[in-house]
Amino acid sequence: MSIIPQHKYTTTTPHDLFIATTPRPIPNGLTIEPTTHKGNNPPSLTISGPPLPIDPTLQSTWSHRAWVAGGCTAVLISLAKAAVGAANSHIWLQPILAGFVGYILADLGSGVYHWAVDNYGDASTPIFGTQIEAFQGHHKWPWTITKREFANNLHAMARAITFFVLPLDLAVNDPVLHGFIGICSGCIMLSLQFHAWAHGTKSKLPTLVVALQDMGLLVSRSQHGAHHRPPYNNNYCIVSGVWNEFLDNNKVFEALEMALYFKIGVRPRSWSEPNSDWTEVVEASPPVTVQ
């Protein structure tokens, strides 16, 4: 099974139309690098190019917005049922504690999912292929997540939340359970927005977001920045990041990788990194015109 991502990102300059045997510069400061190969397979062309300045793959569609609206509705219904049920039964502590547990477990879930899509599968993987391609391509151009529109970034998670949470909204009335479901599902759905903020410039982020990052309630820019430096196998959690230290110090993901390797013979992508497909390309500065 191939674990090399097939990026959809392309550039449009004519300089991209040749195969390089050595890295060659192009006007925007990027390079085109050859892909090394073994055996009789022909070399493939690896183009180090980010999305276009105005890229439709980064923009929200009405379908994206509809799914995000559906996910938000499902989460809000769950939270409302938790609040109403707590008020009617005069119990507040249990739903609040359940919500706190949901928040903590959402961070763990985000880390497990992030680890899996970073290291296994590719764009052709059933169901998860699009997410895998996006996460793996994100290592090459991490700054592009800050350019994704809100619904574009969240729609895949929102779709899953809609299908999972909405039936529970209709079937369950327990305020404690809804306290857990509402907070956990909401954090999971918004985790990619928390992730985007972790790549943002402090001066451009909302004051409240910066405060929550500094308090450790949202994953911080410095903590997530470590995930984008070699050896690229740590700090996977992207809600609050509270689990990162425990998971990394106890080598939990490394143990899972070894277990999977001995069980099914598949190597995680992090074992063979870094290479040019996962080495960050710094965002090119816009050209300056001198009058």
Side-chain angles (χ1 to χ4, degrees), residues 40-146:
N40 297 321
N41 295 327
S44 60
L45 179 64
T46 300
I47 300 178
S48 301
L52 300 172
I54 302 177
D55 194 321
T57 66
L58 303 180
Q59 297 175 343
S60 298
T61 66
W62 285 109
S63 174
H64 296 162
R65 296 184 183 100
W67 282 118
V68 171
C72 290
T73 299
V75 169
L76 290 174
I77 289 174
S78 184
L79 292 175
K81 293 189 79 169
V84 171
N88 290 338
S89 57
H90 304 288
I91 57 169
W92 292 99
L93 181 60
Q94 293 93 325
I96 290 172
L97 289 177
F100 178 73
V101 172
Y103 164 73
I104 296 298
L105 291 183
D107 187 58
L108 176 61
S110 75
V112 172
Y113 186 76
H114 189 179
W115 162 77
V117 297
D118 261 12
N119 285 284
Y120 299 99
D122 59 17
S124 65
T125 301
I127 301 176
F128 301 102
T130 302
Q131 283 274 290
I132 291 170
E133 183 182 33
F135 269 86
Q136 294 182 358
H138 169 68
H139 277 269
K140 188 73 172 178
W141 301 291
W143 46 268
T144 60
I145 195 173
T146 65

Side-chain angles (χ1 to χ4, degrees), residues 84 127 154 193 252:
V84 171
I127 301 176
L154 300 188
Q193 184 58 48
V252 173

